[in-house]
Amino acid sequence: MPAAALSHWRDFRNIVLFTGAGLSAECGVPTYRGVGGIWREYNYQDYACQRAFDRDPMQVLDFHELRRTKVRSCAPHAGHAHIRAMQAEHPGIHVITQNIDGLLQRAGVVVAAELHGSLWRLRCPVHGIRDDLAVGAYAHRHCPDCPPDRAPWLRPDITWFEDAVNEAVFEHAAMLVDDAELFVGIGTSGAVWPAAGFAERARQRGARMVEINPENNEASALYGQHIRLPASTALPEAFPIGG
Ligand code: APR
């Protein structure tokens, strides 16, 4: 069934597109909780929290290298391209993502807030954040700017379980959500906080609420309209451009 088009979407001054792993699913990047989901195969306690990194940094970096390699073998889809086209037509399209894969940016989308960090950045406790855009394997696992005999492990710049979300990034996203006249949740189960609170926040401020997700989930009740289609199909249908 085709999506009920929001043909007047340009009339909304500020639109927030709040995205999750489902947006990348059709590219071949596994989601977290769906069929074949990452957390069904891996226990985050061993691969995606500070305790695991302190215990075994090699294992944690190996895991994230696998994810980088997978993402690099994938390409953005028509849905990503459509978001870029929407941004070209409307200055009020604000993208807030939970995704760390960088596929939106690879499609030329301007991302206002990367809530959970990125697979393509690392942190040194001395020198701070550094990009690592190497294909798959990290260029460095220890900080190359620190004296080699005491160079610390580089930690992926990712908001892992038990981590706090970067406050400045969160506040910026919250400000955009507060101004949203249309809030579109795309490919997220709404299971992880505080990000999951944005849908309720937008709804309470009277935003029009639209969900793009083939499946119903715990956050679905917050949305007034449900587009039960994959993102690559739903986005062009729901937000028509040209013609
Ligand atoms: N198009 C749209 N939605 C899809 C598609 C698709 N092609 N395929 C799957 N989905 C939906 C699923 O139905 C599910 O509701 O995407 C959602 C993915 O949910 P999760 O795997 O829970 O991913 P997400 O909501 O992004 O997880 C939030 O949890 O593990 C942490 O930090 C991680 O950012 C992540 C956060």
Side-chain angles (χ1 to χ4, degrees):
M1 185 178 67
L6 287 102
S7 44
H8 62 296
W9 61 270
R10 293 175 192 77
D11 299 346
F12 295 97
R13 247 173 343 101
N14 283 308
I15 299 173
V16 163
L17 305 182
F18 176 62
T19 76
L23 178 60
S24 303
E26 295 159 84
C27 307
V29 180
T31 64
Y32 295 98
R33 294 167 187 82
V35 176
I38 293 170
W39 303 140
R40 294 198 181 193
E41 195 181 336
Y42 294 90
N43 182 341
Y44 83 83
Q45 310 232 20
D46 299 326
Y47 298 100
C49 63
Q50 186 62 44
R51 287 177 292 115
F53 186 69
D54 297 340
R55 201 172 46 240
D56 190 344
M58 287 287 271
Q59 172 166 288
V60 170
L61 290 168
D62 287 348
F63 168 73
H64 287 85
E65 274 191 0
L66 277 180
R67 299 195 60 194
R68 286 162 51 102
T69 305
K70 178 66 186 170
V71 170
R72 276 294 182 179
S73 72
C74 301
H77 57 57
H80 294 101
H82 196 76
I83 294 173
R84 186 190 63 226
M86 290 172 71
Q87 287 189 321
E89 289 227 347
H90 188 317
I93 306 283
H94 307 291
V95 175
I96 297 172
T97 191
Q98 299 168 88
N99 298 348
I100 61 174
D101 55 34
L103 284 169
L104 281 158
Q105 293 92 332
R106 272 171 63 191
V109 172
V110 176
V111 172
E114 248 182 344
L115 290 170
H116 296 158
S118 171
L119 275 169
W120 311 103
R121 290 191 303 267
L122 291 159
R123 301 177 194 164
C124 163
V126 180
H127 295 96
I129 304 286
R130 59 182 302 117
D131 287 336
D132 185 316
L133 304 175
V135 177
Y138 290 110
H140 304 280
R141 287 186 169 213
H142 289 88
C143 180
D145 301 327
C146 287
D149 59 335
R150 55 181 188 279
W153 289 98
L154 290 169
R155 182 211 193 271
D157 181 32
I158 293 170
T159 307
W160 285 328
F161 289 87
E162 302 155 18
D163 283 349
V165 171
N166 176 298
E167 205 173 326
V169 173
F170 185 84
E171 288 311 320
H172 179 56
M175 188 193 64
L176 295 170
V177 169
D178 290 350
D179 283 347
E181 293 171 353
L182 172 61
F183 182 97
V184 187
I186 307 170
T188 183
S189 61
V192 170
W193 293 75
F198 283 145
E200 175 60 17
R201 189 172 177 140
R203 196 181 68 83
Q204 282 183 3
R205 282 165 178 75
R208 168 96 179 256
M209 302 292 294
V210 175
E211 182 184 42
I212 293 178
N213 194 322
E215 290 169 22
N216 192 57
N217 61 71
E218 56 193 273
S220 296
L222 297 171
Y223 295 88
Q225 183 180 353
H226 303 95
I227 302 176
R228 297 275 172 251
L229 289 170
S232 70
T233 312
L235 282 157
E237 285 192 15
F239 303 101
I241 286 181

